[in-house]
Amino acid sequence: MATSKSKSKPATTKRKSSRRAKRPATRNITHRAKPTAASHVASSKLASLKSPVSSSSKQSAVLKMLYEPKGTTIGAIMKATDWQQHSVRGFFAGVVKKKLDLNLVSEKVDGQRIYRIAKFGTAR
């Protein structure tokens, strides 16, 4: 009796993944020139010369409060905007002073710190 030996190879064919190969995304976005520091300074100077934009945003409400001659306190801003104290201070430093380049002055009156935006050259 002759035994027939069939040589069968194990099924080692590579399976293709059901996932597509990742390709870099191609976008049809036109690249804009980045604004220079000079344009930022010019736009912030123009923004400081104008009165604050009248809209219903929290930032505009805070700027309106700061433009009042008597000024405002951090507590009043916190109450008007539902911001926390550190958020109000961050808004002063980041937006009022750096981005808008406004002259923010503070005075201590009757034990309370009052903040207001003064005209250029009138800071103490």
Side-chain angles (χ1 to χ4, degrees):
M1 223 196 250
T3 58
S4 68
K5 290 185 181 178
S6 63
K7 293 182 181 179
S8 63
K9 292 183 181 179
T12 58
T13 58
K14 292 185 179 179
R15 292 184 184 176
K16 290 189 177 183
S17 174
S18 62
R19 294 184 186 180
R20 291 183 139 193
K22 291 186 180 180
R23 288 184 272 167
T26 57
R27 295 184 181 154
N28 293 332
I29 299 175
T30 58
H31 295 285
R32 296 182 195 157
K34 291 185 178 180
T36 61
S39 66
H40 282 298
V41 171
S43 65
S44 66
K45 295 278 184 189
L46 287 175
S48 66
L49 294 176
K50 295 187 226 176
S51 63
V53 178
S54 61
S55 67
S56 61
S57 70
K58 290 181 180 182
Q59 290 187 4
S60 64
V62 173
L63 289 175
K64 192 174 184 181
M65 294 170 78
L66 289 171
Y67 270 111
E68 292 177 4
K70 63 180 180 175
T72 187
T73 63
I74 288 182
I77 294 172
M78 288 171 56
K79 191 173 185 180
T81 59
D82 290 329
W83 288 346
Q84 294 182 3
Q85 183 176 3
H86 65 272
S87 300
V88 175
R89 291 182 184 275
F91 178 78
F92 287 169
V95 176
V96 176
K97 287 185 173 183
K98 289 185 180 177
K99 285 189 179 179
L100 297 177
D101 196 28
L102 297 173
N103 190 10
L104 183 69
V105 295
S106 68
E107 301 170 326
K108 199 155 193 177
V109 178
D110 297 328
Q112 286 189 330
R113 179 71 54 186
I114 304 293
Y115 295 90
R116 65 183 174 85
I117 296 174
K119 302 214 183 319
F120 283 104
T122 60
R124 293 200 254 172

